Amino acid sequence: MTSQEAKKIAYSLGAELCGIAGLDRFSAAPEGYHPLDVWPECQSVISFACRFPTAAITCGSDVVYTRVRNSITAKMDAIALDLCIEMEKRSVPCAPIPTNESQWDEKTGRFRSIVSQKHAAQAAGLGTIGRHSLLITPELGSMVWLGCVLCGAALEADPLPESLCNDCGKCVEVCPANALESAEMAQQVCWNHAFGDDPEKKVWRISCHACRDVCPYCFGSWNRS
């Protein structure tokens, strides 16, 4: 199995971007959240992305953005599962990482995915993490959703890109909860403001994505403002 063969499978399942990371690129992972902590047989990580419809961030109703986010999460998990199945048919075992499922890490006082999707994507060369803590890709900006699988074969890694964020500070200035004042996003402050029940409409919704909206690289390096 080659990296190109693995990517071809991912693309056939609906991925729009795909990259490979070697385990040497996860040395900074928090204790307990390294790919080898999840699956000791892992030898490389396959990261992939699909576009998040851009109109969702300009709609007057937060129902659209919320529904897109929920639906695309299920899509990414389905691609990850099917990728593992197809790889296993080719005698390469793989383990899927949930796209939007986190657990409390007492050591750092943060919720974490068992393997960080955005750090896996950065390690696989898909893009770089911006000041707003979102992954920015050259092709689609930050309008992407991420998935990854741990691979039991040592696939060739993709090159790492230069940083796409110029630290302009627009996301810091626009954040209504001041969650980006420090270098590390105040996770719970952001979540408490952006996610929750609408007391009037009595629905759970995502009510804020201001940092994504204002980013000059929101829609990709080809469409900066």
Side-chain angles (χ1 to χ4, degrees):
M1 172 66 69
T2 67
S3 292
Q4 291 306 315
E5 289 170 336
K7 291 179 187 179
K8 185 176 180 179
I9 297 171
Y11 291 136
S12 73
L13 295 171
E16 295 187 59
L17 304 174
C18 186
I20 311 295
L23 294 186
D24 59 308
R25 297 180 179 176
F26 292 86
S27 59
E31 182 183 353
Y33 295 88
H34 190 282
L36 291 175
D37 293 324
V38 178
W39 189 38
E41 296 178 33
C42 177
Q43 296 189 52
S44 57
V45 176
I46 305 172
S47 175
F48 58 91
C50 290
R51 72 181 64 217
F52 195 100
T54 58
I57 66 173
T58 58
C59 288
S61 170
D62 53 31
V63 170
V64 178
Y65 185 95
T66 304
R67 175 47 57 190
V68 169
R69 178 263 203 181
N70 292 344
S71 297
I72 202 170
T73 294
K75 175 181 179 178
M76 305 310 287
D77 284 339
I79 292 175
L81 177 60
D82 288 343
L83 178 55
C84 290
I85 291 172
E86 291 302 317
M87 293 287 282
E88 190 164 309
K89 289 179 182 178
R90 295 159 175 80
S91 301
V92 180
C94 291
I97 299 300
T99 290
N100 190 39
E101 186 173 323
S102 55
Q103 61 187 24
W104 182 249
D105 177 18
E106 290 187 355
K107 298 182 184 70
T108 58
R110 300 174 71 83
F111 284 98
R112 297 188 183 280
S113 171
I114 55 175
V115 172
S116 169
Q117 292 284 356
K118 62 186 177 185
H119 285 90
Q122 180 169 258
L126 295 190
T128 58
I129 298 172
R131 180 68 179 80
H132 47 23
S133 85
L134 303 172
L135 185 84
I136 304 172
T137 68
E139 301 88 350
L140 301 172
S142 64
M143 297 304 291
V144 293
W145 227 243
L146 304 170
C148 75
V149 303
L150 308 184
C151 181
L155 302 178
E156 182 181 358
D158 284 286
L160 296 174
E162 296 292 328
S163 177
L164 297 173
C165 175
N166 63 6
D167 203 20
C168 67
K170 290 183 178 181
C171 56
V172 178
E173 296 171 3
V174 79
C175 178
N178 298 318
L180 295 170
E181 296 296 315
S182 300
E184 184 175 56
M185 183 188 76
Q187 184 187 73
Q188 204 58 56
V189 172
C190 171
W191 289 10
N192 288 344
H193 173 77
F195 308 109
D197 293 323
D198 184 323
E200 295 182 0
K201 298 177 182 178
K202 301 186 185 304
V203 294
W204 186 91
R205 82 286 188 260
I206 303 171
S207 61
C208 183
H209 36 78
C211 61
R212 189 190 300 271
D213 303 352
V214 76
C215 178
Y217 293 87
C218 181
F219 301 120
S221 57
W222 52 269
N223 191 27
R224 296 191 298 272
S225 59

